[in-house]
Amino acid sequence: MKRILITGSNGLLGQKLAELLLDQPEVEVLATSRGENKLATIVPALPFASMDVTDKAQVEAIVSKFRPTHIIHTAAMTNVDQCETDHEGALLLNRDAVQFLVDACEKYNVHLIHVSTDFIFDGEDGPYSEDAKANPVNFYGETKRLAEEIVKKARCRWAILRTVLVYGVAHDYGRTNIVLWVRDSLQAGKVIKVVDDQFRTPTLAEDLAQGCWLAAKHDAEGIYHISGSEMLTPYDMALQVADYFNLDKSLIDKADGSTFTQPAKRPPKTGFIITKAKKDLGYLPHTFAEGIQVVAGQAAQ
């Protein structure tokens, strides 16, 4: 029997993971997040506890009470521009909270699965394998690099799962995703500017949740890259979305990153080589075309 505690269960990945784990036999799950449970009406059977990962005492109390075998840590400040303008908040949530979780995992012998990002890399020579050297170009990437260093020194079993440009539909989330943004804009007849000089391997949220579960199931240790397998620019993605919904592609304008004024610099070409996750964990992601179909189906519900 695995007892899995999820942090950040109100977020996109957290919600997908909570629903996935609830359906697994031989798994007891505890979803945790700051504030109220956003899945309460959708998944009433989901055990939930309010937990702020930036509060060391709260983390200690919840871990000591639930006694998980695994913690899957999805909570983070993932808004890249917000991290650039709020260094203190970004460090608290993305670095310090990880230290609090590591402390609890060491004390109670818990396997920590920590979710990280492609933004720890500078994007000069993607796609990246697990042993590539970190060199972030923005503060978000730096906070996640610091968190990885904390996890790597932990005296408990640990796995770091890095991912790329996660998209999907979440309940009461407040943030859209590239698929629905493009669809809704084109349906409304809006011209949209989409960057064509940033390359990623976009990841369906359900695939990342599956990767997290596989890491727990196999008691995986070390670093794994969990993403889609296709190298695409946001412009490529937008064209595929337009094709899927049979919308007017002439409304999609190609732009480069310099067109947009954003506080944080973006790495030009990240993306991942996912051979290790496929081989060791049996991880198999959807294609982006399949991902569009999944998102479209959920948005229609």
Side-chain angles (χ1 to χ4, degrees):
M1 174 66 76
K2 293 191 187 295
R3 295 168 62 79
I4 302 178
L5 185 152
I6 304 166
T7 72
S9 65
N10 281 340
L12 173 59
L13 170 58
Q15 290 191 24
K16 302 298 183 188
L17 192 51
E19 292 179 279
L20 173 64
L21 292 180
L22 199 59
D23 286 342
Q24 303 303 323
E26 303 299 307
V27 172
E28 277 184 52
V29 60
L30 178 66
T32 73
S33 204
R34 228 179 349 204
E36 293 178 2
N37 178 17
K38 289 186 179 178
L39 288 174
T41 54
I42 311 293
V43 193
L46 180 70
F48 177 84
S50 181
M51 183 177 86
D52 179 352
V53 289
T54 66
D55 183 330
K56 184 177 171 65
Q58 243 182 71
V59 170
E60 159 82 22
I62 296 286
V63 173
S64 82
K65 187 178 176 189
F66 181 62
R67 290 298 174 98
T69 56
H70 300 71
I71 290 176
I72 303 178
H73 178 43
T74 81
M77 186 187 284
T78 56
N79 184 317
V80 181
D81 292 320
Q82 186 185 354
C83 290
E84 207 67 28
T85 56
D86 179 13
H87 283 197
E88 195 179 332
L91 285 168
L92 180 62
L93 192 48
N94 292 353
R95 180 196 62 186
D96 300 352
V98 174
Q99 185 64 65
F100 302 154
L101 286 162
V102 163
D103 292 345
C105 287
E106 288 177 345
K107 184 171 180 179
Y108 296 104
N109 190 27
V110 184
H111 185 160
L112 177 63
I113 297 168
H114 170 71
V115 179
S116 191
T117 173
D118 59 321
F119 273 32
I120 67 160
F121 299 115
D122 58 21
E124 294 303 319
D125 52 0
Y128 291 95
S129 65
E130 284 82 356
D131 56 2
K133 190 175 183 322
N135 184 32
V137 298
N138 55 46
F139 198 72
Y140 166 66
E142 176 60 12
T143 62
K144 297 296 279 185
R145 185 194 69 78
L146 292 168
E148 285 198 14
E149 291 308 311
I150 291 168
V151 174
K152 287 175 190 172
K153 292 184 187 122
R155 296 186 312 278
C156 60
R157 288 170 304 143
W158 59 265
I160 292 168
L161 272 49
R162 298 187 186 128
T163 193
V164 184
L165 189 64
V166 182
Y167 66 95
V169 177
H171 175 67
D172 190 19
Y173 187 49
R175 232 196 271 184
T176 187
N177 62 73
I178 189 160
V179 174
L180 298 183
W181 172 70
V182 171
R183 181 199 68 177
D184 295 347
S185 300
L186 300 186
Q187 281 178 345
K190 284 184 191 165
V191 175
I192 54 173
K193 287 187 187 298
V194 189
V195 293
D196 194 39
D197 62 347
Q198 292 172 12
F199 295 82
R200 306 285 185 258
T201 47
T203 313
L204 182 66
E206 278 78 2
D207 288 341
L208 180 54
Q210 187 69 34
C212 291
W213 160 231
L214 288 169
K217 183 181 176 183
H218 294 291
D219 295 312
E221 295 186 58
I223 301 171
Y224 289 88
H225 282 179
I226 304 284
S227 75
S229 55
E230 299 156 281
M231 184 70 85
L232 301 167
T233 67
Y235 180 75
D236 297 330
M237 296 177 225
L239 293 180
Q240 284 199 42
V241 172
D243 281 340
Y244 179 84
F245 291 105
N246 199 21
L247 295 165
D248 184 1
K249 286 191 281 199
S250 72
L251 293 169
I252 305 171
D253 277 357
K254 202 182 280 191
D256 62 48
S258 64
T259 311
F260 304 95
T261 329
Q262 296 168 305
K265 187 181 175 187
R266 268 58 172 179
K269 184 179 183 180
T270 61
F272 284 158
I273 297 160
I274 57 172
T275 314
K276 183 182 175 187
K278 284 180 169 178
K279 184 168 150 289
D280 292 5
L281 305 178
Y283 172 70
L284 197 61
H286 290 75
T287 64
F288 187 67
E290 291 166 343
I292 295 170
Q293 197 173 355
V294 170
V295 169
Q298 291 173 351
Q301 287 170 8

